[in-house]
Amino acid sequence: MADVFKDGLLRGQHALITGGGSGINRRIAERFAAQGAAVSIVGRSLERAEGAAEAIRAAGGQARGFSADVRDFDVLATSFGQAHANFGPVDICVAGAAGNFVAEAENISSNGFKTVVDIDLVGTWNTFRAALTLLRAGRANLLAISAVQSVMPMAAQAHVCAAKAGIDMLVRTLSIEWAARGVRCNAIAPGPVANTEGMRRLAPEGDTSWAHVLAGIPMARAADADEIADLALFLCSGAAPYIHGTVIAIDGGQTNLGSLPFGAALLESLRDR
């Protein structure tokens, strides 16, 4: 864990995180809990969500897992209500649930395209809208997990590019409408993150795929999940009170070079199947 932050930055706050049972969202949940927040982890798998919560409790934090599919607003709202009853008003809401697969546009079915848009974009909307009435009055942070595909067109990622671009514009729009409520709205757009399920899917050829990916990153490495969690913590802390309606890329400079190397890796993985 990075030691650049003062201890207890989120003490007394309640953080609600969708998709927090695994990957970078789980690391965000762990980091928030380590900084004193009570964390509600919401995922489709109650076993996975509660497993992440149990690990936080074992480390001395406060956490509980809840089950909901972000595509189902009513079920999601019910789980959020349970989280509110358990830990009180929501100070931080992270919309992190996401879906992805590698496919060229001509091979993506209507249902496949819709599934990714429903999980990523509609799921982000459902998360924020269901949390709205549960937010702490006059002070709350909404944080969406976008991706570099939101601004960087990429081969074999048409569905994800469309969904993530929608998330970015949603965050910007809500930042206008909900600012008077005392709600800050921002997004993080990670590039490749090492040791995550998402990158295992996007780099199926192992070292060969990674060579392509890293060729398109000026820093020549992937992010660590801790680096994503650090940015999330900064944005949701008292250190960022005037950052609002912003999408921050955390990609080692990847968006400055473009998507061709990453897209080449994805297309190559499809040809090798």
Side-chain angles (χ1 to χ4, degrees), residues 58-207:
Q62 298 182 75
R64 183 177 171 188
F66 300 89
S67 177
D69 189 323
V70 296
R71 294 172 290 185
D72 189 326
F73 180 85
D74 291 338
V75 173
L76 189 66
T78 296
S79 288
F80 282 13
Q82 294 169 347
H84 179 271
N86 196 67
F87 288 130
V90 176
D91 299 275
I92 300 167
C93 180
V94 179
N100 196 355
F101 57 89
V102 179
E104 293 184 73
E106 66 177 315
N107 296 321
I108 301 174
S109 68
S110 177
N111 184 62
F113 192 95
K114 182 178 184 297
T115 295
V116 170
V117 171
D118 282 352
I119 295 172
D120 288 38
L121 177 54
V122 178
T124 297
W125 163 252
N126 284 344
T127 296
F128 289 164
R129 184 62 185 85
L132 183 62
T133 60
L134 307 177
L135 298 178
R136 190 174 299 278
R139 188 198 75 196
N141 284 291
L142 303 183
L143 182 65
I145 306 301
S146 183
V148 292
Q149 287 96 322
S150 68
V151 296
M152 190 170 66
M154 187 178 297
Q157 292 282 275
H159 46 330
V160 178
C161 291
K164 297 300 188 183
I167 289 173
D168 289 5
M169 191 54 71
L170 175 63
V171 165
R172 293 187 171 105
T173 302
L174 295 182
S175 75
I176 297 170
E177 292 197 20
W178 292 356
R181 296 172 176 262
V183 177
R184 284 198 300 121
C185 305
N186 291 294
I188 291 173
V193 182
N195 302 315
T196 61
E197 177 60 30
M199 279 310 300
R200 280 189 284 274
R201 295 181 182 182
L202 295 178
E205 302 303 313
D207 290 343

Side-chain angles (χ1 to χ4, degrees), residues 225-250:
D226 279 336
E227 293 172 315
I228 311 301
D230 282 344
L231 178 55
L233 177 59
F234 166 71
L235 287 173
C236 295
S237 75
Y242 204 57
I243 298 178
H244 181 54
T246 298
V247 181
I248 299 180
I250 177 167

